[in-house]
Amino acid sequence: MIKLAQYLKPYLWMLVLIVVLAIGQSSANLYLPNLMSDIVNKGIALSNTNYIVNKGGVMLLVAIGGMLATIAGMFFSSRVATGMGRNLRLELFERIQKFSLQEFDALSTASLITRTTNDTTQIQQLMVMTLGIIITAPITLVVGMILALNQDVGLSWTIIAIVPAVVVLVIFLLIKAVPLFTSMQGKIDRLNLITNENLSGVRVIRAFNRQSYEESRFDTANKDFMNVAIRVNQLIACMIPVMMLLINFSSLAIIWFGSHRVVEGHLDIGAMFAFLQYAMQILFSLLMVALLFILIPRAEASAKRINE
């Protein structure tokens, strides 16, 4: 993957802009809970309508600013990723044009088609996700934790306790997913090979009445790919509900123990709500990082094939 980073050089100014927009997006998201805490403590608790309206207006402006930064960030991330994919496909095509017949036989036409199309698409999809998450997630995790601790240190264990469970889940998925993703690209090669043979040899196949045999070959290869794809998607499908369950347990713990601290006078109710929102932002950032780690193995397998 690192070798392919050279294709980002033409888009350095866009990358800088994406970083700035990501910082703006994260800052807006992290500032909103603090505003809400002030509204609850100084507006609702004291029945100060003017304060609520003023702070609510500020919240609206901050939310709109964060939304615009998110949209612009995704736009430029997509431009960078698709531009990188275009340049990568072009260089691959030019490289393949210089291959000898021996090199074509070594890699096979079907595999070269997959590497130029599907493998490049995997890199492109990962790049879109990475540019959107790689900046915002660490900022949200670190700054969000600091701001949450600033609200109340006593509730911090509700976040810290769930992080090891998330890490274990991600490691488990990586161990299971990496071999499957590598296998998937090989299965696509096989499908392309059979399709290429059928299209180029269609006259011979019909002359010898081998249509049924070729259909059986394609069906077998197609089912092999389907079975691997189902297993991969089952892993991903299991991950999201488990992550959401962990996040909901954390929310329940914050509300339960936070309410006791509010009753005891150790915590303002606004601070508890702010802590809850910071916790949700932190945990959702972990969820996005987990999703990114799911995409990395397949893109890594594709990158190795492209570098080859």
Side-chain angles (χ1 to χ4, degrees):
M1 283 292 294
I2 296 175
K3 290 182 181 178
L4 301 181
Q6 60 181 306
Y7 295 96
L8 293 172
K9 288 181 180 178
Y11 306 100
L12 286 178
W13 71 270
M14 281 193 187
L15 292 173
V16 172
L17 184 58
I18 289 167
V19 171
V20 172
L21 290 168
I23 293 172
Q25 174 193 343
S26 300
S27 300
N29 291 336
L30 291 167
Y31 187 45
L32 287 172
N34 192 46
L35 290 171
M36 189 197 69
S37 175
D38 289 341
I39 287 175
V40 173
N41 290 332
K42 300 175 184 178
I44 297 174
L46 302 176
S47 300
N48 190 339
T49 306
N50 290 331
Y51 188 87
I52 294 171
V53 171
N54 291 335
K55 281 291 183 178
V58 174
M59 282 188 73
L60 182 61
L61 291 175
V62 171
I64 292 172
M67 179 189 69
L68 293 175
T70 303
I71 293 170
M74 287 303 298
F75 173 78
F76 287 110
S77 296
S78 299
R79 288 292 297 270
V80 170
T82 51
M84 177 189 178
R86 177 197 62 198
N87 296 339
L88 186 56
R89 277 189 293 270
L90 177 62
E91 190 160 331
L92 274 170
F93 184 79
E94 290 176 350
R95 172 66 178 154
I96 290 168
Q97 296 303 303
K98 300 174 184 177
F99 273 10
S100 65
L101 292 176
Q102 184 179 1
E103 287 171 324
F104 270 110
D105 291 337
L107 290 173
S108 84
T109 303
S111 182
L112 292 174
I113 292 171
T114 307
R115 293 170 201 236
T116 310
T117 54
N118 187 275
D119 284 334
T120 307
T121 302
Q122 299 305 322
I123 302 295
Q124 186 173 305
Q125 289 177 346
L126 176 67
M127 192 56 58
V128 173
M129 284 284 291
T130 301
L131 292 174
I133 295 172
I134 201 70
I135 306 299
T136 56
I139 292 174
T140 304
L141 285 171
V142 176
V143 180
M145 181 62 76
I146 293 170
L147 293 174
L149 291 174
N150 188 51
Q151 296 294 331
D152 186 51
V153 178
L155 285 175
S156 60
W157 68 269
T158 56
I159 301 175
I160 297 170
I162 207 168
V163 172
V166 174
V167 172
V168 169
L169 178 63
V170 171
I171 292 172
F172 171 78
L173 287 169
L174 284 175
I175 293 171
K176 292 289 185 180
V178 171
L180 292 176
F181 281 130
T182 304
S183 176
M184 277 184 72
Q185 299 309 107
K187 302 294 183 185
I188 294 173
D189 283 352
R190 179 67 179 166
L191 276 174
N192 279 335
L193 174 65
I194 294 172
T195 303
N196 183 55
E197 288 176 351
N198 274 270
L199 292 173
S200 60
V202 63
R203 295 176 184 271
V204 177
I205 292 168
R206 288 178 178 176
F208 287 91
N209 195 27
R210 301 289 286 177
Q211 293 97 321
S212 298
Y213 173 75
E214 293 300 328
E215 287 175 7
S216 176
R217 283 181 70 211
F218 184 85
D219 189 45
T220 301
N222 202 20
K223 284 181 178 177
D224 285 344
F225 174 73
M226 179 193 72
N227 291 333
V228 176
I230 287 174
R231 288 172 63 191
V232 168
N233 283 286
Q234 283 175 339
L235 281 173
I236 297 172
C238 288
M239 184 201 73
I240 295 175
V242 172
M243 284 289 294
M244 292 305 299
L245 182 66
L246 293 173
I247 289 171
N248 288 330
F249 269 126
S250 181
S251 302
L252 184 63
I254 291 169
I255 294 171
W256 176 263
F257 292 102
S259 61
H260 281 77
R261 291 181 64 80
V262 170
V263 171
E264 293 167 359
H266 300 305
L267 181 67
D268 294 328
I269 189 166
M272 186 189 77
F273 281 118
F275 188 96
L276 178 61
Q277 286 201 353
Y278 284 130
M280 292 304 98
Q281 289 187 25
I282 291 166
L283 295 175
F284 273 110
S285 294
L286 284 173
L287 175 60
M288 296 307 294
V289 170
L291 289 174
L292 184 62
F293 275 111
I294 290 299
L295 291 176
I296 286 174
R298 188 173 186 183
E300 181 65 26
S302 296
K304 287 180 180 177
R305 290 155 55 84
I306 289 171
N307 287 326
E308 185 185 8

